[in-house]
Amino acid sequence: MTRTMTEEKVLLDKLQELQNLAAFLLQRSEKLNPCIEGLHKLTRKIKAELKFLESLQTKQVPIKASHIQSTNLTHLQGVVKATEQSNGVVAVLRTFNFSPSKDSEQQVNTSCIVDVIANNGSNWIKVIARNPKSLHKIWEGQGQFGDKDLFDQAKVFVECSKDHPVHFQNPVVTFLFCNGVTESLAKCLIELGIDVQGDVLVDPVNEAVSLRPEAVSSSCMQLDSNAESKIPITINRVNLDVSTMIAFVSAVTNGGAMFVFKDSILNSQAEKERRGPLLPLLIEYFEGKELLVCSSAINDFEKIVQTIGGPKEKERASQLMDQIRNVPDQPSKRSMGLKDSASIKLRSKIVFGTGDTLKAVTVTANSSFVRAASSQGVNFSVFLHDSRALTESKESQAVPIPSS
């Protein structure tokens, strides 16, 4: 059937409207905090949509409604808006892998893409821009073959979040509905543990009664966000890495920073120490906490101190051993599952994994391991600080800096 001029104009107007939206989203995305992980991916997706829309105008073939409907701009608009309005956004469009539990319906390793990670990692936000009536029909079992059931997706997100705790608490999973969500589906998601955000709509009328047993009426339907009100647990134990114990007893952090060392690394650490002393920072963080050290870390630390430590450094090391609790090596499964690399060694997997098992924050200067583990989808609870080496034995060859 021949398309009328009016229909053609409507499509062209809609195309121009979408192009304007894409250009506007691109401007907004470029104003976001550049430190947000994955921001370049979000920008790239918006640019791809804009390029596709612009290509439709240059083609000689008529524009179809399906071209307009296939755009992903509504979802990207929701991601940009959620990023702008959320606190403590650390990443967007990040993929998390996880292994389903034994009693899970899904028994294959899978992954989920979190649109926005907010509250410094403790809140996962999934943006949903689909038609609420369509979502409701699919949830009731009236969808077409291949349609994704949001309830099943929600179960995957909840289970995946358990594999990626932040400070030993599961992230709050928020489903943000740009176009609203039906009341029954919202209740069902809430009962599953999802934080539901968006307009709650009346269920479609004249539809078949829901076949989902999960859609039972909830005595209390709470739609206010609990993503920011979740009270973090207090962690009163810390797990000391070898790098931290070395920094704690080093001469350079205990009054020996006024030297120019021959070694460039030692000299750089001494300069940093003069600008910002590390020991007070560590002492303050240790205050009121139980200090745990696993057996492997103690063995390696004592070998290093005995080999290159000076007399006072050895004395401070002995005093430190009186303050800590020696715990057996007990690395977590996810730590030992990390693939070895230049930055991931067995000792670090044992040390960080033991802190993971004991729910203790690992204090460390080994930032390369933390980054490498994160790149494999494993994020540990850590307190990072600058490196300091043992320097007492090098002082005799160094040039003292006169006190001003």
Side-chain angles (χ1 to χ4, degrees):
M1 186 174 66
T2 306
R3 195 164 61 192
T4 66
M5 293 293 292
T6 302
E7 291 173 332
E8 180 80 18
K9 186 177 184 307
V10 169
L11 287 176
L12 287 172
D13 288 345
K14 183 62 178 177
L15 178 61
Q16 186 60 56
E17 181 184 326
L18 289 173
Q19 286 181 354
N20 294 340
L21 173 60
F24 184 45
L25 289 179
L26 193 57
Q27 291 177 0
R28 288 164 61 185
S29 69
E30 291 172 346
K31 293 179 181 179
L32 295 171
N33 186 343
C35 295
I36 296 174
E37 176 194 325
L39 194 57
H40 65 286
K41 187 188 298 184
L42 175 60
T43 303
R44 191 168 65 244
K45 285 179 176 291
I46 297 172
K47 287 181 177 178
E49 290 290 335
L50 181 57
K51 184 178 180 180
F52 168 72
L53 293 169
E54 289 174 340
S55 71
L56 293 178
Q57 282 188 324
T58 60
K59 289 182 178 179
Q60 299 302 315
V61 294
I63 299 172
K64 297 180 180 179
S66 58
H67 293 150
I68 304 296
Q69 295 166 354
S70 65
T71 180
N72 200 31
L73 274 181
T74 308
H75 175 259
L76 294 174
Q77 182 181 24
V79 175
V80 171
K81 185 176 181 180
T83 306
E84 291 172 333
Q85 297 183 348
S86 301
N87 294 324
V89 175
V90 295
V92 294
L93 305 178
R94 180 193 282 178
T95 301
F96 289 90
N97 299 313
F98 78 103
S99 302
S101 58
K102 292 181 180 179
D103 55 351
S104 172
E105 296 176 8
Q106 185 162 346
Q107 287 299 309
V108 243
N109 289 356
T110 187
S111 62
C112 61
I113 299 175
V114 180
D115 292 320
V116 180
I117 302 174
N119 290 341
N120 298 311
S122 63
N123 182 202
W124 288 7
I125 302 174
K126 176 175 175 58
V127 175
I128 297 145
R130 294 158 67 188
N131 183 291
K133 289 186 178 181
S134 298
L135 288 173
H136 189 90
K137 284 187 175 182
I138 295 169
W139 170 68
E140 285 190 322
Q142 300 177 42
Q144 302 297 317
F145 177 77
D147 286 340
K148 291 184 178 180
D149 184 353
L150 195 63
F151 184 74
D152 292 336
Q153 286 183 280
K155 288 192 285 189
V156 169
F157 268 74
V158 170
E159 191 164 357
C160 185
S161 71
K162 295 175 183 177
D163 261 13
H164 299 276
V166 177
H167 294 309
F168 312 108
Q169 284 188 304
N170 299 334
V172 173
V173 178
T174 297
F175 275 19
L176 176 60
F177 292 89
C178 300
N179 298 316
V181 57
T182 57
E183 183 176 357
S184 294
L185 179 53
K187 286 181 179 180
C188 188
L189 292 171
I190 290 169
E191 289 167 359
L192 187 62
I194 300 292
D195 171 48
V196 175
Q197 293 296 302
D199 294 334
V200 179
L201 311 175
V202 177
D203 290 356
V205 293
N206 299 324
E207 299 287 352
V209 178
S210 173
L211 303 177
R212 300 294 291 253
E214 300 93 337
V216 294
S217 175
S218 174
S219 58
C220 177
M221 184 174 175
Q222 178 66 33
L223 287 185
D224 293 332
S225 175
N226 60 16
E228 295 186 22
S229 61
K230 188 175 183 180
I231 301 174
I233 60 174
T234 302
I235 303 173
N236 290 321
R237 48 169 54 178
V238 294
N239 172 49
L240 305 187
D241 181 29
V242 175
S243 60
T244 297
M245 292 188 287
I246 288 175
F248 195 83
V249 306
S250 170
V252 78
T253 58
N254 285 271
M258 301 301 290
F259 288 94
V260 176
F261 294 95
K262 290 185 177 181
D263 185 280
S264 60
I265 294 177
L266 297 184
N267 204 40
S268 174
Q269 291 182 2
E271 289 177 355
K272 289 182 179 179
E273 182 64 24
R274 292 193 292 271
R275 291 196 301 267
L278 177 60
L279 190 60
L281 181 67
L282 293 177
I283 291 175
E284 180 182 3
Y285 188 70
F286 292 168
E287 183 68 30
K289 297 182 177 71
E290 184 181 19
L291 308 182
L292 309 179
V293 186
C294 70
S295 299
S296 287
I298 288 178
N299 292 338
D300 286 353
F301 171 67
E302 290 180 336
K303 287 178 184 177
I304 293 171
V305 172
Q306 290 304 314
T307 303
I308 61 174
K312 292 183 179 178
E313 288 172 336
K314 291 177 181 178
E315 182 181 344
R316 285 191 288 270
S318 177
Q319 294 170 352
L320 177 60
M321 290 299 100
D322 293 336
Q323 300 174 41
I324 60 94
R325 179 159 74 91
N326 185 342
V327 296
D329 295 344
Q330 41 196 308
S332 60
K333 180 180 177 181
R334 66 182 191 141
S335 176
M336 295 306 292
L338 291 169
K339 296 178 181 178
D340 290 346
S341 68
S343 299
I344 296 180
K345 305 295 184 184
L346 178 60
R347 186 188 76 182
S348 294
K349 291 197 287 188
I350 292 173
V351 172
F352 282 80
T354 298
D356 200 31
T357 298
L358 298 176
K359 291 183 169 54
V361 176
T362 297
V363 187
T364 181
N366 192 352
S367 58
S368 59
F369 174 86
V370 175
R371 288 194 301 269
S374 179
S375 70
Q376 293 189 32
V378 177
N379 294 285
F380 293 101
S381 181
V382 296
F383 179 88
L384 284 170
H385 60 82
D386 286 336
S387 296
R388 299 289 188 268
L390 299 178
T391 59
E392 188 177 1
S393 63
K394 304 293 184 181
E395 290 178 355
S396 60
Q397 304 170 23
V399 179
I401 298 175
S403 55
S404 55

